[in-house]
Amino acid sequence: MSTTQTNKIDITKAATSKINEVDFESLSFGSVFTDHLLECDFKNGEWQTPVIKPYAPFLVDPSTRVFHYGQAIFEGMKAYKDDNDDIWLFRPDENYNRFNKSAVRMAMPEVPESVFMDGLNQLLKIDQEWVKKGKGNAMYIRPFMIATGTGVIANPSDDYKFMIILSPVTSYYSGDVKVVIAEHFSRAANGGIGAAKAAGNYAAQFYPTTLANKEGFQQVIWTDDATHTKLEEAGTMNVFFRINNTLLTAPTSERILDGVTRKTLIDLAKREGIEVEIRSVLVSELVEASENGSLKEIFGAGTAAVISPISGFSYKDVYYDLPKIENSTASQLKDKLTNIQNKLAEDTFGWTVKI
Protein backbone atom coordinates (compact mmCIF):
# COMPACT_ATOMS: atom_id res chain seq x y z
CA MET A 1 0.00 0.00 0.00
CA SER A 2 1.07 3.60 -0.61
CA THR A 3 0.05 6.48 1.68
CA THR A 4 -0.17 10.17 0.68
CA GLN A 5 -2.03 13.33 1.72
CA THR A 6 -3.99 15.43 -0.76
CA ASN A 7 -5.97 18.54 0.18
CA LYS A 8 -6.05 17.41 3.82
CA ILE A 9 -7.26 13.93 2.84
CA ASP A 10 -5.10 10.99 3.92
CA ILE A 11 -4.97 8.49 1.06
CA THR A 12 -3.91 4.86 1.37
CA LYS A 13 -4.21 2.98 -1.90
CA ALA A 14 -4.96 -0.71 -2.19
CA ALA A 15 -1.95 -2.85 -3.08
CA THR A 16 -3.94 -4.60 -5.81
CA SER A 17 -7.27 -3.99 -7.54
CA LYS A 18 -10.15 -6.44 -7.74
CA ILE A 19 -11.55 -4.81 -10.88
CA ASN A 20 -10.50 -7.72 -13.12
CA GLU A 21 -12.65 -10.07 -11.04
CA VAL A 22 -15.84 -8.15 -11.87
CA ASP A 23 -18.21 -9.05 -14.70
CA PHE A 24 -19.43 -5.59 -15.71
CA GLU A 25 -21.94 -7.08 -18.15
CA SER A 26 -24.03 -8.76 -15.44
CA LEU A 27 -23.91 -6.49 -12.42
CA SER A 28 -26.58 -6.85 -9.76
CA PHE A 29 -27.52 -3.36 -8.55
CA GLY A 30 -25.57 -2.23 -5.52
CA SER A 31 -23.80 -5.55 -4.86
CA VAL A 32 -20.27 -4.83 -6.15
CA PHE A 33 -18.04 -2.13 -4.68
CA THR A 34 -14.85 -0.46 -5.85
CA ASP A 35 -11.37 -0.77 -4.35
CA HIS A 36 -11.60 2.24 -2.03
CA LEU A 37 -13.92 4.13 0.30
CA LEU A 38 -13.89 7.49 2.06
CA GLU A 39 -14.22 7.69 5.84
CA CYS A 40 -14.32 10.63 8.21
CA ASP A 41 -15.06 10.53 11.94
CA PHE A 42 -16.72 13.19 14.09
CA LYS A 43 -15.17 13.14 17.57
CA ASN A 44 -14.78 15.61 20.42
CA GLY A 45 -17.13 18.03 18.70
CA GLU A 46 -15.23 18.31 15.42
CA TRP A 47 -14.59 16.51 12.17
CA GLN A 48 -11.30 14.65 11.90
CA THR A 49 -9.09 14.37 8.81
CA PRO A 50 -10.92 12.39 6.09
CA VAL A 51 -9.31 9.19 4.92
CA ILE A 52 -9.49 7.30 1.62
CA LYS A 53 -8.47 3.69 2.12
CA PRO A 54 -9.08 0.19 0.74
CA TYR A 55 -12.69 -0.99 0.98
CA ALA A 56 -13.01 -3.32 3.96
CA PRO A 57 -15.27 -4.16 6.92
CA PHE A 58 -14.77 -2.33 10.21
CA LEU A 59 -15.40 -3.28 13.83
CA VAL A 60 -17.94 -1.56 16.09
CA ASP A 61 -19.01 -2.00 19.69
CA PRO A 62 -22.30 -3.87 20.31
CA SER A 63 -23.62 -0.78 22.11
CA THR A 64 -22.97 1.52 19.13
CA ARG A 65 -25.87 3.98 19.08
CA VAL A 66 -26.90 3.41 15.46
CA PHE A 67 -28.00 -0.14 16.37
CA HIS A 68 -30.21 1.03 19.21
CA TYR A 69 -31.64 4.40 18.20
CA GLY A 70 -31.35 4.45 14.42
CA GLN A 71 -29.33 7.61 13.81
CA ALA A 72 -28.45 6.83 10.20
CA ILE A 73 -28.84 8.83 6.99
CA PHE A 74 -27.72 8.37 3.39
CA GLU A 75 -27.83 9.76 -0.13
CA GLY A 76 -27.95 8.23 -3.61
CA MET A 77 -26.00 9.83 -6.46
CA LYS A 78 -24.40 8.80 -9.75
CA ALA A 79 -21.30 9.62 -11.77
CA TYR A 80 -20.97 9.13 -15.53
CA LYS A 81 -18.03 8.81 -17.92
CA ASP A 82 -18.30 10.47 -21.32
CA ASP A 83 -16.65 9.49 -24.60
CA ASN A 84 -13.58 11.57 -23.70
CA ASP A 85 -13.10 9.61 -20.46
CA ASP A 86 -14.13 12.61 -18.37
CA ILE A 87 -16.25 11.86 -15.29
CA TRP A 88 -19.31 13.95 -14.45
CA LEU A 89 -21.54 14.27 -11.43
CA PHE A 90 -25.21 15.19 -11.77
CA ARG A 91 -26.48 17.98 -9.50
CA PRO A 92 -24.20 17.00 -6.58
CA ASP A 93 -25.04 20.21 -4.72
CA GLU A 94 -28.63 19.00 -4.37
CA ASN A 95 -27.51 15.76 -2.74
CA TYR A 96 -25.02 17.53 -0.49
CA ASN A 97 -27.59 20.05 0.73
CA ARG A 98 -30.24 17.38 1.29
CA PHE A 99 -27.75 15.22 3.18
CA ASN A 100 -27.15 17.99 5.67
CA LYS A 101 -30.87 18.72 5.98
CA SER A 102 -31.31 15.05 6.89
CA ALA A 103 -28.45 15.37 9.38
CA VAL A 104 -30.08 18.33 11.12
CA ARG A 105 -33.43 16.52 11.37
CA MET A 106 -31.74 13.47 12.88
CA ALA A 107 -29.73 15.53 15.42
CA MET A 108 -26.47 14.68 13.64
CA PRO A 109 -23.60 17.05 12.74
CA GLU A 110 -23.57 18.61 9.28
CA VAL A 111 -20.77 17.37 7.04
CA PRO A 112 -18.44 20.08 5.69
CA GLU A 113 -18.32 20.55 1.93
CA SER A 114 -14.55 19.98 2.04
CA VAL A 115 -15.17 16.48 3.40
CA PHE A 116 -18.20 15.53 1.28
CA MET A 117 -17.43 17.09 -2.11
CA ASP A 118 -13.63 17.16 -2.07
CA GLY A 119 -13.56 13.64 -0.66
CA LEU A 120 -15.97 12.38 -3.31
CA ASN A 121 -13.92 13.96 -6.10
CA GLN A 122 -10.71 12.37 -4.86
CA LEU A 123 -12.39 8.99 -4.40
CA LEU A 124 -13.78 9.01 -7.94
CA LYS A 125 -10.38 9.97 -9.37
CA ILE A 126 -8.71 7.08 -7.56
CA ASP A 127 -11.34 4.55 -8.72
CA GLN A 128 -11.99 6.14 -12.11
CA GLU A 129 -11.30 2.90 -14.01
CA TRP A 130 -14.43 1.47 -12.38
CA VAL A 131 -16.61 4.11 -14.09
CA LYS A 132 -17.54 2.60 -17.44
CA LYS A 133 -18.51 4.50 -20.57
CA GLY A 134 -21.74 3.97 -22.46
CA LYS A 135 -25.33 4.99 -21.88
CA GLY A 136 -26.79 2.89 -19.09
CA ASN A 137 -23.48 2.54 -17.28
CA ALA A 138 -22.81 4.64 -14.20
CA MET A 139 -21.17 4.71 -10.82
CA TYR A 140 -23.71 4.65 -8.01
CA ILE A 141 -22.48 6.74 -5.08
CA ARG A 142 -23.65 6.05 -1.54
CA PRO A 143 -22.67 8.69 1.05
CA PHE A 144 -23.94 7.79 4.53
CA MET A 145 -23.48 8.67 8.19
CA ILE A 146 -24.08 6.60 11.31
CA ALA A 147 -23.96 7.28 15.04
CA THR A 148 -20.85 5.55 16.45
CA GLY A 149 -20.99 6.66 20.08
CA THR A 150 -21.39 3.81 22.56
CA GLY A 151 -23.86 3.20 25.36
CA VAL A 152 -27.59 2.52 25.37
CA ILE A 153 -28.82 5.74 26.96
CA ALA A 154 -31.50 7.25 24.69
CA ASN A 155 -29.66 10.42 23.67
CA PRO A 156 -28.09 11.59 20.43
CA SER A 157 -24.62 10.19 19.91
CA ASP A 158 -21.49 12.28 20.50
CA ASP A 159 -19.54 10.45 17.78
CA TYR A 160 -20.36 9.80 14.13
CA LYS A 161 -18.83 8.19 11.07
CA PHE A 162 -19.34 9.59 7.57
CA MET A 163 -18.48 7.33 4.65
CA ILE A 164 -18.78 7.17 0.86
CA ILE A 165 -18.78 3.87 -1.00
CA LEU A 166 -18.98 3.38 -4.77
CA SER A 167 -20.82 0.70 -6.75
CA PRO A 168 -20.68 0.33 -10.56
CA VAL A 169 -24.14 -0.17 -12.08
CA THR A 170 -25.78 -0.78 -15.43
CA SER A 171 -29.27 0.04 -16.67
CA TYR A 172 -31.86 -0.71 -14.01
CA TYR A 173 -34.91 -2.55 -15.35
CA SER A 174 -37.47 -4.20 -13.10
CA GLY A 175 -40.02 -5.29 -15.72
CA ASP A 176 -43.71 -4.48 -15.39
CA VAL A 177 -44.40 -2.78 -12.08
CA LYS A 178 -47.82 -3.27 -10.57
CA VAL A 179 -48.65 -1.31 -7.43
CA VAL A 180 -51.24 -1.33 -4.70
CA ILE A 181 -52.49 1.92 -3.20
CA ALA A 182 -52.04 1.97 0.58
CA GLU A 183 -55.27 2.06 2.57
CA HIS A 184 -53.78 1.60 6.04
CA PHE A 185 -49.99 1.88 6.08
CA SER A 186 -48.20 5.21 5.63
CA ARG A 187 -44.67 6.01 4.61
CA ALA A 188 -44.45 9.09 6.85
CA ALA A 189 -46.51 11.49 8.96
CA ASN A 190 -46.63 15.23 9.52
CA GLY A 191 -43.98 16.18 12.03
CA GLY A 192 -42.03 13.01 11.28
CA ILE A 193 -38.90 12.34 9.24
CA GLY A 194 -40.40 11.64 5.82
CA ALA A 195 -38.46 14.49 4.20
CA ALA A 196 -35.14 13.11 5.49
CA LYS A 197 -33.25 10.27 3.83
CA ALA A 198 -33.17 8.43 7.11
CA ALA A 199 -32.55 4.68 7.11
CA GLY A 200 -35.60 4.00 9.28
CA ASN A 201 -37.94 5.38 6.63
CA TYR A 202 -36.94 2.55 4.33
CA ALA A 203 -37.02 -0.15 6.99
CA ALA A 204 -40.59 0.85 7.85
CA GLN A 205 -41.64 0.27 4.22
CA PHE A 206 -40.39 -3.30 4.06
CA TYR A 207 -43.32 -4.96 5.87
CA PRO A 208 -46.21 -3.41 3.87
CA THR A 209 -44.21 -3.89 0.67
CA THR A 210 -43.71 -7.56 1.54
CA LEU A 211 -47.49 -7.90 2.01
CA ALA A 212 -47.98 -6.30 -1.41
CA ASN A 213 -45.42 -8.69 -2.96
CA LYS A 214 -47.38 -11.66 -1.64
CA GLU A 215 -50.45 -10.36 -3.50
CA GLY A 216 -48.49 -10.06 -6.76
CA PHE A 217 -47.59 -6.37 -6.60
CA GLN A 218 -44.04 -5.02 -6.76
CA GLN A 219 -44.55 -1.76 -4.88
CA VAL A 220 -46.93 0.36 -2.81
CA ILE A 221 -48.17 3.84 -3.65
CA TRP A 222 -48.22 5.52 -0.27
CA THR A 223 -51.07 7.75 0.84
CA ASP A 224 -51.21 10.48 3.48
CA ASP A 225 -51.31 9.27 7.08
CA ALA A 226 -54.33 11.33 8.13
CA THR A 227 -56.96 10.44 5.51
CA HIS A 228 -55.35 7.98 3.06
CA THR A 229 -56.95 9.97 0.26
CA LYS A 230 -53.85 11.74 -1.14
CA LEU A 231 -51.25 9.98 -3.29
CA GLU A 232 -47.70 10.68 -2.17
CA GLU A 233 -44.82 8.38 -3.22
CA ALA A 234 -44.38 5.06 -5.01
CA GLY A 235 -42.17 2.57 -3.20
CA THR A 236 -38.89 4.39 -2.59
CA MET A 237 -39.50 6.89 -5.40
CA ASN A 238 -41.40 10.07 -6.05
CA VAL A 239 -44.39 9.45 -8.31
CA PHE A 240 -45.90 11.18 -11.35
CA PHE A 241 -49.32 10.77 -12.97
CA ARG A 242 -50.24 11.82 -16.52
CA ILE A 243 -53.94 12.62 -16.88
CA ASN A 244 -54.69 13.58 -20.47
CA ASN A 245 -51.66 15.73 -21.33
CA THR A 246 -50.91 17.06 -17.85
CA LEU A 247 -48.24 15.69 -15.52
CA LEU A 248 -49.25 15.71 -11.86
CA THR A 249 -47.05 15.17 -8.82
CA ALA A 250 -47.49 15.87 -5.12
CA PRO A 251 -45.73 18.85 -3.54
CA THR A 252 -42.83 18.14 -1.22
CA SER A 253 -43.61 18.34 2.47
CA GLU A 254 -42.58 16.87 5.82
CA ARG A 255 -43.91 13.56 4.47
CA ILE A 256 -42.43 13.59 0.97
CA LEU A 257 -38.76 13.47 -0.03
CA ASP A 258 -37.47 16.37 -2.12
CA GLY A 259 -36.22 14.10 -4.88
CA VAL A 260 -33.45 15.32 -7.20
CA THR A 261 -34.82 13.29 -10.13
CA ARG A 262 -38.31 14.59 -9.33
CA LYS A 263 -37.33 18.27 -9.59
CA THR A 264 -35.19 17.53 -12.66
CA LEU A 265 -38.11 15.92 -14.50
CA ILE A 266 -40.37 18.84 -13.60
CA ASP A 267 -37.91 21.29 -15.16
CA LEU A 268 -37.38 19.10 -18.24
CA ALA A 269 -41.13 18.67 -18.77
CA LYS A 270 -41.69 22.42 -18.57
CA ARG A 271 -38.88 23.01 -21.06
CA GLU A 272 -40.54 20.56 -23.45
CA GLY A 273 -43.86 22.38 -23.19
CA ILE A 274 -45.55 19.70 -21.07
CA GLU A 275 -48.06 21.08 -18.59
CA VAL A 276 -47.07 20.24 -15.02
CA GLU A 277 -49.21 20.63 -11.91
CA ILE A 278 -47.62 20.30 -8.48
CA ARG A 279 -50.54 19.63 -6.19
CA SER A 280 -52.23 17.00 -4.08
CA VAL A 281 -53.53 14.15 -6.23
CA LEU A 282 -56.50 12.28 -4.77
CA VAL A 283 -57.01 8.53 -4.95
CA SER A 284 -60.58 9.17 -6.12
CA GLU A 285 -59.25 11.36 -8.92
CA LEU A 286 -56.91 8.60 -10.09
CA VAL A 287 -59.64 5.96 -10.04
CA GLU A 288 -62.03 8.23 -11.95
CA ALA A 289 -59.35 9.06 -14.53
CA SER A 290 -58.62 5.38 -15.03
CA GLU A 291 -62.31 4.59 -15.47
CA ASN A 292 -62.92 7.37 -18.00
CA GLY A 293 -59.71 6.72 -19.93
CA SER A 294 -57.96 10.01 -19.16
CA LEU A 295 -55.24 8.36 -17.02
CA LYS A 296 -52.41 7.70 -19.46
CA GLU A 297 -49.32 7.01 -17.33
CA ILE A 298 -47.97 6.55 -13.82
CA PHE A 299 -44.23 6.38 -13.18
CA GLY A 300 -41.82 6.53 -10.28
CA ALA A 301 -38.76 8.80 -10.35
CA GLY A 302 -35.53 8.26 -8.45
CA THR A 303 -31.75 7.98 -8.76
CA ALA A 304 -31.45 4.20 -9.11
CA ALA A 305 -33.92 3.54 -11.94
CA VAL A 306 -34.32 7.18 -13.10
CA ILE A 307 -37.88 6.41 -14.23
CA SER A 308 -39.87 3.27 -13.45
CA PRO A 309 -43.13 2.98 -15.45
CA ILE A 310 -46.12 1.49 -13.65
CA SER A 311 -48.40 -0.82 -15.63
CA GLY A 312 -51.39 -0.84 -13.30
CA PHE A 313 -52.65 -0.27 -9.76
CA SER A 314 -55.00 -1.87 -7.28
CA TYR A 315 -57.32 -0.05 -4.90
CA LYS A 316 -59.93 -1.65 -2.64
CA ASP A 317 -59.32 -5.00 -4.36
CA VAL A 318 -60.09 -3.60 -7.82
CA TYR A 319 -57.25 -3.66 -10.36
CA TYR A 320 -56.89 -0.89 -12.95
CA ASP A 321 -54.74 -1.51 -16.02
CA LEU A 322 -52.94 1.37 -17.66
CA PRO A 323 -52.82 1.69 -21.46
CA LYS A 324 -49.65 0.58 -23.24
CA ILE A 325 -48.30 3.71 -24.94
CA GLU A 326 -45.59 3.91 -27.58
CA ASN A 327 -43.17 6.79 -27.08
CA SER A 328 -44.63 7.58 -23.66
CA THR A 329 -43.94 10.79 -21.78
CA ALA A 330 -41.99 8.73 -19.25
CA SER A 331 -39.71 7.26 -21.92
CA GLN A 332 -39.20 10.64 -23.58
CA LEU A 333 -38.25 12.34 -20.32
CA LYS A 334 -35.96 9.48 -19.32
CA ASP A 335 -34.15 9.66 -22.65
CA LYS A 336 -33.67 13.42 -22.41
CA LEU A 337 -32.44 13.19 -18.82
CA THR A 338 -30.00 10.32 -19.39
CA ASN A 339 -28.65 12.05 -22.51
CA ILE A 340 -27.77 15.07 -20.37
CA GLN A 341 -26.23 12.88 -17.65
CA ASN A 342 -24.11 11.03 -20.22
CA LYS A 343 -23.09 14.26 -22.03
CA LEU A 344 -24.91 13.16 -25.18
CA ALA A 345 -27.06 16.30 -25.18
CA GLU A 346 -26.38 19.90 -24.24
CA ASP A 347 -26.84 20.65 -20.55
CA THR A 348 -28.72 23.93 -20.80
CA PHE A 349 -29.47 23.88 -17.07
CA GLY A 350 -25.89 23.60 -15.82
CA TRP A 351 -26.66 20.40 -13.88
CA THR A 352 -23.52 18.40 -14.74
CA VAL A 353 -20.26 18.96 -12.84
CA LYS A 354 -16.90 17.65 -14.05
CA ILE A 355 -14.66 16.12 -11.42
Side-chain angles (χ1 to χ4, degrees):
M1 295 184 181
S2 61
T3 302
T4 59
Q5 187 177 69
T6 303
N7 295 331
K8 296 182 179 178
I9 300 174
D10 289 337
I11 300 173
T12 300
K13 291 188 178 180
T16 59
S17 175
K18 57 182 183 284
I19 192 169
N20 292 328
E21 302 169 13
V22 177
D23 181 1
F24 285 89
E25 299 301 317
S26 57
L27 291 170
S28 176
F29 187 90
S31 62
V32 173
F33 298 93
T34 65
D35 292 320
H36 300 88
L37 57 78
L38 179 132
E39 177 182 270
C40 189
D41 289 317
F42 183 87
K43 294 181 177 179
N44 302 317
E46 61 183 15
W47 287 99
Q48 309 299 301
T49 300
V51 174
I52 292 176
K53 63 183 185 180
Y55 186 101
F58 59 94
L59 292 173
V60 292
D61 191 281
S63 71
T64 299
R65 295 287 180 87
V66 66
F67 298 143
H68 302 272
Y69 302 111
Q71 277 185 291
I73 61 172
F74 68 94
E75 271 297 325
M77 311 166 62
K78 282 182 179 176
Y80 307 84
K81 183 177 282 186
D82 67 17
D83 290 338
N84 298 317
D85 287 331
D86 291 322
I87 297 174
W88 300 81
L89 293 168
F90 184 75
R91 307 190 76 174
D93 55 322
E94 294 284 349
N95 295 100
Y96 171 68
N97 291 332
R98 188 173 64 183
F99 189 88
N100 278 337
K101 288 179 181 177
S102 297
V104 170
R105 181 61 183 85
M106 298 298 289
M108 305 170 84
E110 295 181 66
V111 177
E113 188 172 359
S114 59
V115 174
F116 190 109
M117 297 305 304
D118 294 349
L120 175 56
N121 273 263
Q122 287 294 332
L123 183 60
L124 283 168
K125 287 176 182 177
I126 290 170
D127 281 343
Q128 60 184 293
E129 294 303 315
W130 289 78
V131 189
K132 299 302 182 182
K133 290 189 288 190
K135 192 171 180 180
N137 295 321
M139 180 65 74
Y140 184 78
I141 302 163
R142 172 52 63 89
F144 65 98
M145 180 163 53
I146 59 172
T148 52
T150 57
V152 295
I153 184 171
N155 284 336
S157 176
D158 293 322
D159 300 336
Y160 297 88
K161 186 181 291 291
F162 170 73
M163 303 184 78
I164 302 177
I165 55 178
L166 306 176
S167 178
V169 295
T170 56
S171 294
Y172 186 103
Y173 177 68
S174 57
D176 283 348
V177 176
K178 297 179 180 180
V179 300
V180 59
I181 294 177
E183 299 176 51
H184 171 69
F185 294 104
S186 298
R187 176 186 173 274
N190 284 331
I193 58 171
K197 271 190 91 68
N201 283 341
Y202 297 79
Q205 296 181 32
F206 293 160
Y207 175 66
T209 302
T210 298
L211 295 180
N213 295 161
K214 290 178 179 177
E215 296 298 323
F217 301 97
Q218 286 70 47
Q219 289 291 352
V220 176
I221 291 186
W222 307 104
T223 51
D224 69 291
D225 64 297
T227 67
H228 294 290
T229 61
K230 299 174 183 177
L231 298 158
E232 302 209 318
E233 292 196 15
T236 59
M237 310 177 82
N238 295 113
V239 63
F240 287 80
F241 311 91
R242 180 163 76 91
I243 296 179
N244 290 321
N245 292 317
T246 301
L247 268 187
L248 308 174
T249 193
T252 55
S253 67
E254 290 180 306
R255 303 186 308 273
I256 298 176
L257 190 71
D258 187 13
V260 179
T261 305
R262 170 190 175 277
K263 63 179 65 179
T264 299
L265 293 177
I266 289 170
D267 288 343
L268 277 175
K270 289 179 177 178
R271 187 191 73 178
E272 298 302 311
I274 299 170
E275 184 177 353
V276 180
E277 293 184 9
I278 302 171
R279 62 170 177 81
S280 293
V281 182
L282 301 178
V283 178
S284 59
E285 181 181 3
L286 191 71
V287 170
E288 181 182 355
S290 180
E291 290 176 340
N292 66 28
S294 60
L295 177 62
K296 307 301 182 183
E297 298 177 62
I298 305 175
F299 56 89
T303 300
V306 185
I307 285 179
S308 182
I310 291 169
S311 61
F313 69 93
S314 175
Y315 180 63
K316 292 190 180 298
D317 297 323
V318 178
Y319 184 73
Y320 301 85
D321 256 322
L322 269 70
K324 288 180 169 50
I325 298 175
E326 294 291 331
N327 198 29
S328 65
T329 298
S331 64
Q332 292 179 53
L333 289 175
K334 182 175 182 177
D335 193 53
K336 292 181 185 301
L337 172 52
T338 53
N339 280 344
I340 292 172
Q341 290 171 330
N342 287 276
K343 307 303 288 183
L344 299 174
E346 183 182 1
D347 176 14
T348 59
F349 295 95
W351 286 332
T352 51
V353 178
K354 187 177 177 181
I355 70 159

